[in-house]
Amino acid sequence: MGVPIAYLPFTTPFGDAAAQKVREMLTQCFDRVSQAQGIIGNSYEALEQGILEELTQRLKQQQPNAEQNRRWPRSFRTVGPLVVEGTLYGIGGEKVTELSGTSFWREEVAECKEWLDKQPVASVVYVAFGSLKVLTASQVQEVLLGMAASGHRFLMVVRRNAVRSKALTAETFGSQFGVALEEALPPGFLESIQERCKLVAWAPQTMVLAHPSVGGFFSHCGWNSTLESLCCGVPILGWPWLMDQMSNCWLLSDVWKVGLLLECNEANETTKEKVEIGIRKLMEGSLAERLRAQAMKIKDQAREAARMNHGVLSLAQEIHLLACNS
């Protein structure tokens, strides 16, 4: 099954010129892959077995250097999932410190844990769109109003300077259009939902996803976030906007069956009604139960792969043999 064109990572929010640059860069990457003797990837065999077998076959169909191929046959090596070690154990006791501390920004560890500890099991939606995505004030309002209308508890990351008065384009990139979060919301909105909402500037993501109170993840579908969510057994509502996020979301929703795609218009904008519908599908009813059951199955596979470290150990052994035989 091929990736639909709509999910290929060729579009950007920065206009046609930037999209052309992305296509050129990806074409160069693909050319390099075809020339490589081996590729190392942050994934694991049980998750992408069919894809990895196909890619390995395509590598072997190239005409490699015979001597190099004898010493190290062309293939894809997986060394994942590369996640914070504490993700393998879940929340509890001193292990909580192993689920944070890998970010460049200050993580609000105590604040998040204290709030999550008070919530019922699998009742919270974690909302985070990565370290790059910015939203207009109107889109932040739509997201928060939709979350509130869904009736579900949520912990949301709103980075400083991540809310803007104008959409992010090639012309506005780097310009100062930031607005305070409070300016994007109706008066008194945060106070009205404060009992079931927690907003932070940055969160210890693996700790949050591993917490038993978290039942869903509203995400941009970056690969790190995708792997962390899979390792924690948390279904995803995806809102991708750039590069591999598009195909990651397709894998989550159409292939692995652990996620859903947020409905948006051609400009990748959404509404509070669509956010509410997406969150309810993620958290309620038979569809949510199926997503959660499949997510738990993949979590067991991911944690087993990480515990065994088979990909890393196998690669290390091959590199050692190469060095000894050189």
Side-chain angles (χ1 to χ4, degrees):
M1 178 170 58
V3 181
I5 292 176
Y7 289 98
L8 292 174
F10 296 140
T11 60
T12 80
F14 307 121
D16 293 339
Q20 179 59 32
K21 289 291 185 182
V22 169
R23 283 191 287 271
E24 292 173 0
M25 181 191 70
L26 289 174
T27 299
Q28 291 176 358
C29 289
F30 295 149
D31 287 342
R32 292 283 186 253
V33 166
S34 68
Q35 299 167 24
Q37 190 64 26
I39 309 297
I40 300 172
N42 180 17
S43 186
Y44 60 99
E45 292 182 11
L47 184 66
E48 301 188 83
Q49 185 173 4
I51 295 173
L52 291 167
E53 288 175 353
E54 176 66 23
L55 291 173
T56 297
Q57 282 300 116
R58 293 195 180 194
L59 268 185
K60 289 180 178 178
Q61 288 169 6
Q62 304 290 329
Q63 295 300 318
N65 178 286
E67 175 60 20
Q68 286 183 340
N69 196 50
R70 182 187 66 78
R71 295 173 61 205
W72 196 18
R74 304 185 92 197
S75 65
F76 275 74
R77 268 73 168 178
T78 58
V79 295
L82 299 178
V83 294
V84 176
E85 184 180 5
T87 307
L88 306 179
Y89 309 112
I91 279 293
E94 297 179 357
K95 293 295 183 185
V96 68
T97 60
E98 299 178 22
L99 292 162
S100 62
T102 60
S103 173
F104 291 116
W105 296 318
R106 189 186 80 82
E107 298 172 333
E108 299 182 34
V109 178
E111 297 91 332
C112 291
K113 185 174 186 303
E114 180 181 359
W115 188 80
L116 290 171
D117 285 346
K118 299 175 182 177
Q119 313 308 318
V121 173
S123 67
V124 175
V125 180
Y126 173 50
V127 185
F129 304 121
S131 56
L132 294 176
K133 185 176 177 68
V134 297
L135 296 172
T136 61
S138 62
Q139 283 292 277
V140 170
Q141 184 171 131
E142 294 297 316
V143 168
L144 282 167
L145 289 173
M147 294 298 305
S150 75
H152 289 280
R153 297 169 171 83
F154 63 99
L155 168 62
M156 181 171 178
V157 174
V158 184
R159 300 188 332 271
R160 293 180 179 85
N161 302 319
V163 183
R164 298 165 62 91
S165 59
K166 295 186 178 182
L168 189 63
T169 64
E171 290 72 28
T172 63
F173 185 76
S175 303
Q176 299 299 316
F177 293 105
V179 299
L181 175 62
E182 291 74 12
E183 297 178 25
L185 301 174
F189 173 77
L190 292 179
E191 290 77 7
S192 68
I193 62 167
Q194 61 182 350
E195 291 186 0
R196 53 188 178 89
C197 163
K198 176 72 174 177
L199 301 184
V200 296
W202 198 247
Q205 182 157 291
T206 48
M207 187 203 82
V208 171
L209 289 170
H211 199 284
S213 71
V214 173
F217 186 13
F218 187 7
S219 170
H220 66 307
C221 298
W223 188 241
N224 285 338
S225 293
T226 296
L227 280 181
E228 289 164 356
S229 192
L230 292 175
C231 284
C232 294
V234 179
I236 289 181
L237 173 63
W239 189 11
W241 73 295
L242 188 68
M243 299 294 285
D244 65 315
Q245 298 166 16
M246 316 300 290
S247 49
N248 295 343
C249 188
W250 171 75
L251 287 167
L252 287 161
S253 60
D254 288 32
V255 179
W256 301 326
K257 308 294 185 183
V258 295
L260 305 168
L261 174 65
L262 179 69
E263 188 175 345
C264 300
N265 62 19
E266 292 184 356
N268 203 35
E269 297 170 334
T270 193
T271 65
K272 59 181 182 293
E273 291 83 8
K274 290 180 170 58
V275 170
E276 178 185 356
I277 291 171
I279 294 299
R280 289 187 180 278
K281 287 182 177 179
L282 183 70
M283 300 293 287
E284 302 173 9
S286 58
L287 174 57
E289 290 177 2
R290 290 197 301 273
L291 292 174
R292 194 166 293 118
Q294 179 66 7
M296 294 301 290
K297 184 184 301 183
I298 290 182
K299 179 191 78 170
D300 292 339
Q301 295 175 348
R303 291 189 173 189
E304 182 64 17
R307 285 194 190 98
M308 296 298 292
N309 271 334
H310 173 73
V312 175
L313 294 174
S314 175
L315 178 62
Q317 289 173 351
E318 291 187 35
I319 292 174
H320 177 70
L321 289 174
L322 280 174
C324 292
N325 296 329
S326 296

